[in-house]
Amino acid sequence: MDTARILIVDDEEIVLDSCTEILRGEPFELATASNGARGLALVSEFRPDLVVVDLKMPGLSGFDVLERIREADPTIVAIVITGYATVSSAVEAMKKGAYDFLPKPFTPDEFRLIIRRGVEKRSLVLETIALRRERELLREHFASIVSHELKAPLAAIQQNLYALERELAPVSTEDQRGRMGRTKTRVGDLLQLIETWRRGVSVDIEAIKAQCALVSVRVPIEKAVDSLAVHAERKEVELMASVPEPAPLVWGDQGTLTQVLVNIMGNAIKYSRVGDRVSVSAEARGGTVRITVADTGVGISPDDLPLIFNAFYSAQPGAAGERGSGLGLAVSRRIVEAHGGTIAVRSTPGKGSTFVITLPQRTDDGPGGHPREAESPTATPKEGRR
Amino acid sequence: MTEPKKLLVIDDDPDFVAGMKAILDTAGYDVDVSYNPKEGFAKLKAKRYDLLLLDIMMGRGAEGVMMARKIRKEPALKDIPILIITGIREQVAFMFPGQAVHPHFVPLDELVEKPVEPELLLEKVSALLKASEGREKP
């Protein structure tokens, strides 16, 4: 932030003058207004970082000014001056978004201090906004950054290791071949890790929407059950599916919906003990399709529960000590949201967890009452697409 | 002795190309390389190749994809088999390893992801060459 701009709005000339006097020599740019209307005009002209408003003014009151400032730019830090040190008006102002309040009469030091704190707050607010924007940009560009800046050099290294290993095979010792093999494994692990991260942060919502077609929920459910059957058997966890006939339809991307179910059911198996049961079921109710994945496993602690959909959050290890990347559920949520759906969880530690995916139901008539759309090339469920 | 098959690699990462070329050289192929799509396309038109290995994600965009489209439109080139090499497999494909979503740019193409294991690379190359020969002499 450059020099902070401060606007003082008060109907008493003497207050404006003394405030100006107090801040003389401080690194601020100052503007004053003797009524609410003029103050609001200056909010857009002067673009202040911080506004000091007297609550009690004729005409437009301090509360009104406060409210309009919030509407115009909620990031502006507002400090209110309360005529009489009434707690109630200060509380009300804080509720309306004021950052702090200053009861009259105040000493120059009190005023200077509260202004400095307000300016500090403003620069934190701006920094947060900038960081948030940066994070979004990073997310958007992550796929290309990762692919070009990280994956490409590693792929080049690995490709040469592959080649060198073959070329040197006739002349290398067993120890050298062993080290070469381990180097290859390490590079391979790194490539795998990068790929996991990339998938976690760059669920391409537009690509999912473009792939959408009329899909029976039976398809992703059966595919997920198929791909997890061996895993469940090995852990001696019973895996059951129940889908009504005819199965409800959704407008979705079969591939990523399967991915969501594999993630959630895979987790359920991971957090189940020998003899536990994981069941997946679907039902249509009131225009929505609910897919429920319930397990009788170890459950999720109340501390972990609100955080499990966050990226890189990995709860305690699974029943057999397995650990995840902390991305499966975050990716799943993004995919479900790209489908216009929601995902929710409830859990009792020791008793098991239940995940419910809710998606808008579609009928054979096509999406949103446009029967033709289902026949267009992009909307036709692609036969044999994998 | 039969004439070695002529391969062209178009990829903008010289180090990656070196690693891949070494594997193909050892297997007895005659390998030319080009590090940019424009020069690569010129080479492709100037000399007859049996197979093209093409990186579809060259540069910042998908220059390789544009190039594959150009090849398809060129009557003299459209029958060349292409092994498409990609840095990142399409989103949907990662679920089903080995079954990448296949864009099919030309009648005969296959897709592999970087880095490519030597066995897989040689297998794909020889399979494409065989399929291409089968098409030429029906």
Side-chain angles (χ1 to χ4, degrees):
Chain A
M1 192 163 72
D2 305 330
T3 312
R5 284 186 295 274
I6 296 166
L7 169 65
I8 304 169
V9 188
D10 198 309
D11 60 318
E12 289 175 71
E13 196 93 1
I14 180 128
V15 176
L16 293 180
D17 286 348
S18 55
C19 286
T20 308
E21 195 53 43
I22 294 166
L23 294 181
R24 188 180 302 278
E26 299 272 344
F28 306 131
E29 206 179 312
L30 211 61
T32 56
S34 57
N35 62 60
R38 177 78 194 120
L40 284 175
L42 277 175
V43 165
S44 49
E45 280 168 35
F46 178 61
R47 310 187 66 75
D49 293 296
L50 187 146
V51 182
V52 182
V53 194
D54 184 11
L55 279 185
K56 204 164 159 40
M57 291 186 294
L60 215 50
S61 82
F63 284 113
D64 296 328
V65 174
L66 204 56
E67 212 160 311
R68 303 265 192 97
I69 290 174
R70 306 304 297 168
E71 283 166 18
D73 180 357
T75 70
I76 294 175
V77 172
I79 292 167
V80 296
I81 300 172
T82 49
Y84 359 85
T86 51
V87 177
S88 64
S89 57
V91 168
E92 202 189 326
M94 301 286 270
K95 274 185 189 161
K96 282 200 154 64
Y99 167 65
D100 208 343
F101 69 98
L102 190 62
K104 263 189 219 170
F106 47 82
T107 68
D109 276 343
E110 280 169 346
F111 185 68
R112 233 177 265 127
L113 187 70
I114 205 164
I115 293 290
R116 278 191 203 136
R117 281 190 51 217
V119 167
E120 211 174 281
K121 162 81 177 170
R122 167 72 174 171
S123 70
L124 285 175
V125 166
L126 291 180
E127 200 176 322
T128 308
I129 291 168
L131 285 173
R132 207 169 281 161
R133 194 172 297 147
E134 202 172 296
R135 193 184 64 184
E136 276 311 304
L137 271 177
L138 193 62
R139 186 192 280 285
E140 281 169 30
H141 296 314
F142 198 73
S144 67
I145 292 169
V146 163
S147 69
H148 287 94
E149 316 304 336
L150 291 176
K151 268 199 95 178
L154 279 173
I157 290 168
Q158 188 75 319
Q159 200 63 48
N160 282 285
L161 287 176
Y162 286 157
L164 286 170
E165 189 184 38
R166 287 168 74 95
E167 288 158 38
L168 300 178
V171 295
S172 54
T173 65
E174 194 169 321
D175 174 64
Q176 287 168 332
R177 282 195 292 276
R179 272 184 284 143
M180 182 69 95
R182 287 192 293 280
T183 310
K184 256 173 39 179
T185 307
R186 296 296 285 267
V187 175
D189 288 349
L190 204 46
L191 278 162
Q192 199 81 53
L193 182 68
I194 291 168
E195 187 59 9
T196 308
W197 283 353
R198 186 187 69 81
R199 287 202 304 267
V201 288
S202 67
V203 174
D204 189 339
I205 291 170
E206 290 313 310
I208 290 174
K209 284 182 178 159
Q211 297 270 7
C212 278
L214 206 55
V215 180
S216 157
V217 295
R218 179 184 300 283
V219 181
I221 289 176
E222 283 181 352
K223 281 191 175 223
V225 169
D226 273 357
S227 71
L228 290 167
V230 178
H231 183 36
E233 206 171 305
R234 204 175 293 147
K235 280 204 70 179
E236 292 179 53
V237 171
E238 193 186 349
L239 189 56
M240 305 176 39
S242 94
V243 183
E245 188 63 52
L249 301 173
V250 295
W251 189 249
D253 170 44
Q254 193 188 299
T256 50
L257 284 180
T258 307
Q259 184 189 337
V260 169
L261 288 171
V262 168
N263 283 343
I264 292 171
M265 290 162 63
N267 263 342
I269 295 168
K270 188 196 287 182
Y271 292 102
S272 286
R273 300 149 295 202
V274 171
D276 274 327
R277 170 192 289 178
V278 172
S279 65
V280 53
S281 60
E283 60 167 344
R285 191 200 288 168
T288 62
V289 178
R290 290 158 59 97
I291 303 174
T292 306
V293 177
D295 67 68
T296 57
V298 297
I300 304 163
S301 84
D303 292 344
D304 284 336
L305 205 56
L307 305 169
I308 58 167
F309 289 109
N310 292 355
F312 300 113
Y313 188 81
S314 186
Q316 79 273 26
E322 308 102 313
R323 271 203 171 276
S325 63
L327 283 170
L329 289 176
V331 171
S332 299
R333 180 166 71 175
R334 282 177 74 85
I335 292 171
V336 169
E337 286 173 356
H339 282 83
T342 59
I343 183 164
V345 59
R346 56 176 191 273
S347 185
T348 313
K351 294 261 174 69
S353 311
T354 302
F355 286 81
V356 180
I357 300 162
T358 310
L359 296 166
Q361 188 182 7
R362 289 292 163 87
T363 59
D364 278 330
D365 301 341
H370 301 292
R372 299 206 136 262
E373 207 174 320
E375 291 161 22
S376 73
T378 51
T380 312
K382 291 179 184 65
E383 283 300 323
R385 207 189 75 218
R386 291 171 294 196
Chain B
M1 214 185 94
T2 53
E3 185 92 337
K5 293 285 183 190
K6 291 184 182 62
L7 273 47
L8 176 64
V9 182
I10 307 178
D11 188 315
D12 63 353
D13 185 338
D15 290 324
F16 177 79
V17 172
M20 208 165 56
K21 183 180 178 329
I23 294 166
L24 295 166
D25 281 342
T26 326
Y29 293 109
D30 178 0
V31 187
D32 278 356
V33 298
S34 177
Y35 304 124
N36 74 71
K38 211 173 163 188
E39 186 206 83
F41 192 68
K43 277 194 177 169
L44 207 53
K45 284 174 80 169
K47 183 172 155 186
R48 197 191 156 276
Y49 287 98
D50 297 299
L51 177 86
L52 170 65
L53 294 99
L54 176 68
D55 174 17
I56 53 164
M57 296 301 285
M58 274 181 282
R60 280 280 152 194
E63 276 187 76
V65 175
M66 273 143 69
M67 174 150 184
R69 295 213 175 101
K70 260 167 77 180
I71 290 170
R72 186 170 54 188
K73 281 187 197 150
E74 199 84 14
L77 297 176
K78 70 170 179 20
D79 287 324
I80 190 169
I82 304 182
L83 183 60
I84 298 160
I85 301 152
T86 166
I88 287 178
R89 224 185 338 214
E90 269 64 22
Q91 199 73 43
V92 224
F94 87 91
M95 276 286 301
F96 311 99
Q99 300 181 6
V101 165
H102 201 157
H104 274 303
F105 293 111
V106 292
L108 212 54
D109 60 17
E110 280 272 9
L111 190 137
V112 290
E113 195 177 5
K114 285 184 185 183
V116 202
E117 299 244 17
E119 293 76 21
L120 183 73
L121 175 66
L122 296 175
E123 185 195 305
K124 294 275 181 194
V125 165
S126 90
L128 276 172
L129 287 169
K130 200 171 277 179
S132 159
E133 268 175 21
R135 285 164 56 96
E136 276 164 22
K137 295 170 227 135

